[in-house]
Amino acid sequence: MTHHHQPTRGKPRVALVTCAELPDLDPDDRLLLDPLARRGVTVEVVDWAEPTADWRAYDLAVLRSPWDYALRRDEFVAWASEVPALANPADVVRWNTDKRYLGELSTAGVPTVPTSWIAPGESWRPPATRGEYVVKPAVSAGSQDTGRYDLADPEHRELARAHVRRLSAAGRLAMVQPYLDAVDTAGETALLFVAGPDGPTFSHAIRKGPMLTGPDLGLDGLHRPEEVTARTATPAQLAVADRALAAVPGGPGRLLYARVDLIPGPDGAPVLVELELTEPSLFLAHATGAADRLADAILAQLGRAAG
C-alpha cells in the first residue's frame, strides 16, 4: 500500500519502505514522519513488494519495516538491487540478511557468540553437553522460527533435532548457538547509530529483556513480549560496536543507520549477537531527539546525493 502526499515542487521525496502487514509503519517509525516534514521532506510509505511502485521517483528509499522478507529473501535482495537510491545499500542488504555474516565478523576479530551451521539435508545431533542452546534459521526477522532448548532434558534434545529437521525440510540453513545466561539478568543491549559526517555516530542505547522461554514448536514459537527500556552504553560495548561496524564490507561510511546487539559473554565482556543493518527497530521512542537525529541523517544523505 502506498500513502501518496502531493509533493511541493523542489521538495525531496523519500519512501519509507514497509510491508503489506504494516501499511502505516511500525508505531516507532511513525515518529520519523513529523521531523522529516519539518525539514521539508515529502514522505511516502511504500510496501517493498508493491508492483506499481516507481522507485525511481524517490530521491531516497529508506528500509524500515519490510519484515515479511525472510521466507522470500532472494526476491527481496533482487528487489533491493533494482532500487536506485536505497538505505542501507543493496550490497549491505544482501550481506546482512544472511546471518553467516557473523562468521566473517568473528574472523575479523569481533567477539561474537559461537555458532554452528547445519545445511539443508545435513544430519545433526545435539552436542553432548549440558546447558541451553538456541536454534534458528540463518535468514529470519525478529524471533521467527527461533527456539531455546535445555540439552540436559531428553525431550528438549528431541525437540531441538525436530526444529533443525523442520528448517532443513524447508531448505533453510539452521544455526545453533549457546544460550547466553546473562540475557536473563543483564538483558540484551542494542546500540543505535545514525550516519554522521565521519561515519556512524552513536545515537542511543536500549535494554531488551529476555524473549525466548522455550522450544519452537513449528507454530508461533514461545516468546515473551518485548520489554524495552533506555540504557547507558558502556565504553566496552561501544568498542565492540566500533569493531563490528568497521568490518562491514565496503566500509561503514555508507550506512544510514545501524543497530549493534550485545549480550555479556561468560566472562562478562560484551559479545555480538547480531549486527542489524537492514530493517532493525531503531527504538526512536526511547531517547530524546532520536527521531530528529535520524531525520538529520536522512537530510544529509539527500544533500550528498543532490550534490
Side-chain angles (χ1 to χ4, degrees):
M1 179 176 181
T2 304
H3 290 186
H4 292 286
H5 303 275
Q6 185 63 36
T8 301
R9 186 177 300 277
K11 280 189 174 184
R13 296 181 68 196
V14 169
L16 297 182
V17 181
T18 186
C19 61
E21 289 78 6
L22 289 167
D24 296 310
L25 294 174
D26 179 75
D28 195 68
D29 285 325
R30 288 201 289 272
L31 298 176
L32 187 57
L33 297 175
D34 183 59
L36 285 173
R38 285 190 276 107
R39 286 160 176 79
V41 177
T42 296
V43 178
E44 299 180 11
V45 180
V46 191
D47 176 7
W48 72 271
E50 169 55 55
T52 64
D54 180 7
W55 299 102
R56 296 167 300 177
Y58 301 103
D59 299 289
L60 183 66
V62 179
L63 288 163
R64 288 311 320 126
S65 47
W67 294 337
D68 60 354
Y69 78 84
L71 294 181
R72 43 179 177 158
R73 173 181 173 264
D74 289 348
E75 179 186 347
F76 182 67
V77 168
W79 164 82
S81 70
E82 296 297 322
V83 178
L86 184 68
N88 283 321
D91 62 307
V92 172
V93 169
R94 177 183 293 276
W95 178 76
N96 189 239
T97 50
D98 186 327
K99 291 183 177 62
R100 282 179 288 186
Y101 71 78
L102 289 170
E104 295 182 33
L105 294 180
S106 178
T107 300
V110 180
T112 61
V113 60
T115 306
S116 299
W117 310 93
I118 304 100
E122 185 178 352
S123 62
W124 177 74
R125 296 179 64 86
T129 182
R130 305 183 76 84
E132 292 186 289
Y133 282 76
V134 173
V135 176
K136 58 185 175 181
V139 177
S140 66
S143 297
Q144 295 174 352
D145 304 306
T146 300
R148 171 181 172 182
Y149 303 91
D150 180 356
L151 297 188
D153 182 331
E155 182 181 1
H156 272 226
R157 292 180 69 86
E158 184 50 44
L159 287 171
R161 294 180 69 181
H163 189 168
V164 171
R165 287 195 299 268
R166 192 162 58 248
L167 294 174
S168 178
R172 305 175 75 184
L173 178 70
M175 52 194 294
V176 179
Q177 300 171 321
Y179 184 80
L180 299 179
D181 294 336
V183 74
D184 293 327
T185 52
E188 181 176 325
T189 300
L191 277 59
L192 289 305
F193 294 79
V194 297
D198 301 313
T201 299
F202 176 68
S203 171
H204 59 288
I206 59 95
R207 176 194 184 275
K208 291 193 292 182
M211 292 182 64
L212 294 176
T213 59
D216 178 86
L217 303 177
L219 301 170
D220 294 328
L222 187 57
H223 311 99
R224 295 189 181 101
E226 193 168 62
E227 299 175 0
V228 178
T229 54
R231 167 164 275 181
T232 300
T234 68
Q237 290 170 336
L238 290 168
V240 172
D242 286 344
R243 291 170 68 180
L245 292 170
V248 173
R254 300 181 302 144
L255 302 177
L256 174 65
Y257 53 71
R259 195 181 93 195
V260 184
D261 294 343
L262 306 169
I263 296 175
D267 63 355
V271 172
L272 180 75
V273 180
E274 287 196 39
L275 176 60
E276 299 262 18
L277 306 178
T278 301
E279 34 59 50
S281 294
L282 297 175
F283 304 109
L284 301 177
H286 293 272
T288 302
D292 284 289
R293 288 190 286 275
L294 180 56
D296 283 338
I298 290 172
L299 199 64
Q301 184 147 335
L302 287 167
R304 287 191 296 271

